[in-house]
Each structure stands twice: as C-alpha cells, then as structure tokens.
Amino acid sequence: MRAALDEARSALVTGDVPIGAVVLDPGGVVVARGRNVREAESDPTGHAEVVALRAAAAARGSWRLDGHTLVVTLEPCTMCAGAAVLSRVERVVLGAWDPKAGAVGSLWDVVRDRRLNHRPEVVAGVLAEECAALLEEFFAGHRRRG
C-alpha cells in the first residue's frame, strides 16, 4: 500500500485526484504501477486501477493476471471493479472506502457478485486513515479555491 500511496501523491503534480495503484505478481513483487491520469491525459478511463492493470498485462504479455494482486488507495468504482474481475486478479487490496462510488462493498459489490465467473478476494482497510487523509486534503484544497 505504501507504493500505491507514492503513486497517489504523484497524481497531485498533474492536478489529478490522488489515487494510486500497484499490481503485485504471485510472489509479491510490484510489476506495475498506476495513478489517476484523467486530467493529465484527458482520459475518462484514466483511473489508477485501469492504468496499473494495463501495465501489468503488458508486462506479463497476457490480459489474464491470475495470481496477481491489485492494491489501490481507494475502493474501486464500478469500472475498476469490473476491470479487476475481467483481468482475473486473485485479490483486491484497498485502503479507504468510497461510500459515494465504491463497488467493492460500499455502494455496490461487483467483485463478489455470484453471477460473475470470477470473484477476487477482498482485503479492505489497509492504511485506510492515511489513504483517506490524502484525499481529504486534496478535496479541502479544491473547496478553498473554488
């Protein structure tokens, strides 16, 4: 999660919401990193999880990320939760919960939907306070300016 937090902080440089993600191989080695790039790249799909999953698939040479772990600082949205399911990651580790748009247990629970053919394990609340504080500080700054 510390590596994902480093990625989240990097998003601040481009004015993106500070969310970071990493993908770990089955041995626990970071094989890909991602951060929000929606503002930087004018890409509505530029979420940290999607960026990291794409990089992991490219590094592996396959879209199937069996045995891999997606670590992300904020609970994934529906798009990102769906990407985690479709990439076949074994596990999703998240920091802070997202009660407004979360799809790993808060608002929806895409990753554990029994109708889908793959359901990754979920580990939640890892460094949750630190992950949430980074987002709260970012949005407080935007409220002061706007």
Side-chain angles (χ1 to χ4, degrees):
M1 187 60 74
R2 295 253 179 244
L5 277 163
D6 288 343
E7 286 299 314
R9 288 183 195 97
S10 295
L12 292 168
V13 175
T14 57
D16 279 285
V17 176
I19 300 170
V22 295
V23 177
L24 309 175
D25 72 9
V29 175
V30 174
V31 295
R33 298 171 181 273
R35 65 179 178 271
N36 273 8
V37 293
R38 290 188 335 166
E39 299 297 330
E41 298 182 8
S42 299
D43 180 358
T45 67
H47 290 204
E49 302 94 323
V50 171
V51 172
L53 290 169
R54 284 179 181 153
R60 181 162 184 196
S62 172
W63 62 268
R64 290 181 177 270
L65 298 175
D66 302 305
H68 287 63
T69 299
L70 172 65
V71 180
V72 61
T73 58
L74 182 67
E75 179 185 4
C77 68
T78 53
M79 176 181 68
C80 295
V85 169
L86 293 173
S87 68
R88 307 295 196 268
V89 294
E90 182 175 321
R91 179 177 309 102
V92 175
V93 176
L94 65 99
W97 290 102
D98 184 357
K100 292 182 180 178
V104 183
S106 289
L107 193 56
W108 296 285
D109 200 351
V110 171
V111 298
R112 290 179 280 217
D113 190 319
R114 294 198 177 279
R115 296 169 292 183
L116 300 176
N117 64 343
H118 179 73
R119 289 180 296 283
E121 172 190 2
V122 175
V123 178
V126 177
L127 298 179
E129 291 175 10
E130 190 171 342
C131 293
L134 183 59
L135 288 161
E136 289 167 7
E137 183 178 319
F138 173 80
F139 286 113
H142 278 274
R143 283 190 287 274
R144 284 192 294 269
R145 283 186 234 135

